Amino acid sequence: MKAKKTDFQECEDCACFAVRRAARAITQIYDRHMRSTGLRASQFTVLVVLELVGEPVPMSRLAARLGVERTTLTRNLRPLEAKRYITIRTSDDQRVRTVAITERGRAAAAAAMPSWRKAQAVVGKHVDNASLHALAALGSRA
């Protein structure tokens, strides 16, 4: 018996593929603009979130805020810890590790702001604010 052929034409407008492709393209824009700072866009984002939180944050909460798996976060934190941009400590509860930005990390993030602003302007030419806010809202519901 021959299997029925599936028509995949409707998948051309796949939201998942389109958003993932756009995310990669946007990340490349930020990484290109921030290359001279020594920070990748993902590292800059971690530093900014830590600065905005303003206190040591448990890794699980930081991972949730960034929308990444904890294992991915752990891998992304290693270079920041090696550069002493962050500290990772065990809390009173030995099962919980907290992450905090250091003065050196604040200085690195502050130095990267002009490059981030340039990347933000480039992306803003292609994606309007309403679309960015809609994507952010969608991401916060996931």
Side-chain angles (χ1 to χ4, degrees):
M1 184 189 283
K2 194 173 184 179
K4 181 181 172 189
K5 185 176 178 183
T6 303
D7 179 14
F8 291 104
Q9 195 66 39
E10 66 187 292
C11 297
E12 271 192 335
D13 294 324
C14 176
C16 182
F17 174 71
V19 170
R20 289 175 60 91
R21 188 172 179 182
R24 284 190 298 272
I26 290 170
T27 300
Q28 289 171 356
I29 290 168
Y30 281 88
D31 281 344
R32 192 169 42 251
H33 279 83
M34 298 186 75
R35 187 172 291 130
S36 65
T37 71
L39 290 171
R40 297 185 58 93
S42 57
Q43 295 169 333
F44 177 78
T45 300
V46 168
L47 294 176
V48 167
V49 167
L50 289 171
E51 179 62 15
L52 291 172
V53 170
E55 62 185 14
V57 61
M59 286 183 81
S60 56
R61 198 168 94 205
L62 180 59
R65 177 108 184 240
L66 293 166
V68 298
E69 297 292 326
R70 191 158 183 248
T71 54
T72 301
L73 177 62
T74 300
R75 187 174 53 251
N76 290 342
L77 293 178
R78 284 187 196 123
L80 294 173
E81 187 177 32
K83 292 179 179 178
R84 298 191 323 258
Y85 291 168
I86 62 165
T87 57
I88 302 174
R89 305 241 190 273
T90 303
S91 69
D92 294 336
D93 180 345
Q94 295 294 312
R95 298 167 295 173
V96 178
R97 295 184 341 156
T98 60
V99 184
I101 191 168
T102 64
E103 285 303 319
R104 188 176 177 139
R106 277 186 196 89
M113 281 298 295
S115 296
W116 176 85
R117 286 184 184 110
K118 288 177 185 172
Q120 185 80 351
V122 170
V123 170
K125 291 178 183 175
H126 301 285
V127 184
D128 62 70
N129 277 340
S131 296
L132 287 175
H133 289 295
L135 287 171
L138 181 62
S140 67
R141 287 190 296 242

